[in-house]
Amino acid sequence: MTVRIRINGVERELDVDPEMPLLWALRDVLALTGTKYGCGQALCGACTVHLDGQVVRSCVTPVGRAAGKAVTTIEGLSPDGNHPLQKAWVNLGVPQCGFCQAGQIMTAAALLSRIPKPTDAQIEQSLAGNLCRCGTYGRIRAAIKQAAGLEGDAGEEKSR
């Protein structure tokens, strides 16, 4: 069956089983490998993408659910890596192993699109479903604040 999806701004026709997890369509069919497989149960957030602007876990989202909708992956967030979150991530050296970072950034991007100047509590609530085994949560929070223009708070967070 053919499933039509707009992925990172490009219309795509995928000849896949509509029950296939979106993650596998992105990674294996389209070679968009920035989205990671973590737990396969929507528990860790490594596979986070946007579906019509909403955060979804692509490991448990059937590709058929994305039919006729817009999917944004980390590759599509900013093709040249100039999204404020990507720049803040680099500027503050957020990643350690980096495995969870695409999911963290996609969740943070959705947060900032809804709440341009989030509080600490809003950041923590938004990212509660995104796990980082390296424990870089302080740097992640600092990068979100920097991207949101809350520079003064970002320096304090980085040192945590």
Side-chain angles (χ1 to χ4, degrees):
M1 178 177 177
T2 300
V3 179
R4 294 179 184 198
I5 307 171
R6 185 170 188 81
I7 299 176
N8 297 333
V10 177
E11 292 293 331
R12 302 284 188 136
E13 290 187 3
L14 304 175
D15 186 20
V16 298
D17 181 339
E19 294 302 315
M20 169 189 269
L22 178 60
L23 177 63
W24 300 135
L26 295 170
R27 291 185 57 83
D28 295 347
V29 177
L30 298 171
L32 294 171
T33 57
T35 305
K36 303 300 183 203
Y37 174 80
C39 65
Q41 301 175 3
L43 299 174
C44 74
C47 66
T48 301
V49 298
H50 297 173
L51 181 61
D52 279 348
Q54 301 297 310
V55 169
V56 297
R57 304 293 194 232
S58 63
C59 69
V60 295
T61 302
V63 72
R65 181 175 161 213
K69 297 182 179 176
V71 173
T72 305
T73 68
I74 190 69
E75 291 91 344
L77 189 62
S78 170
D80 62 359
N82 275 330
H83 187 282
L85 283 165
Q86 292 169 314
K87 291 166 65 175
W89 242 250
V90 171
N91 186 40
L92 296 176
V94 173
Q96 189 163 323
C97 82
F99 196 81
C100 70
Q101 300 302 305
Q104 301 276 4
I105 290 172
M106 295 305 290
T107 300
L111 170 65
L112 293 181
S113 71
R114 288 184 290 109
I115 305 169
K117 304 285 185 197
T119 64
D120 283 348
Q122 291 167 324
I123 292 170
E124 289 180 22
Q125 181 180 20
S126 178
L127 292 170
N130 288 75
L131 303 180
C132 175
R133 291 183 184 179
C134 303
T136 63
Y137 297 110
R139 294 194 308 249
I140 291 169
R141 188 177 321 114
I144 293 170
K145 288 180 173 184
Q146 186 175 89
L150 303 169
E151 298 279 341
D153 294 338
E156 295 173 23
E157 293 294 334
K158 185 179 178 187
S159 63
R160 290 184 188 177

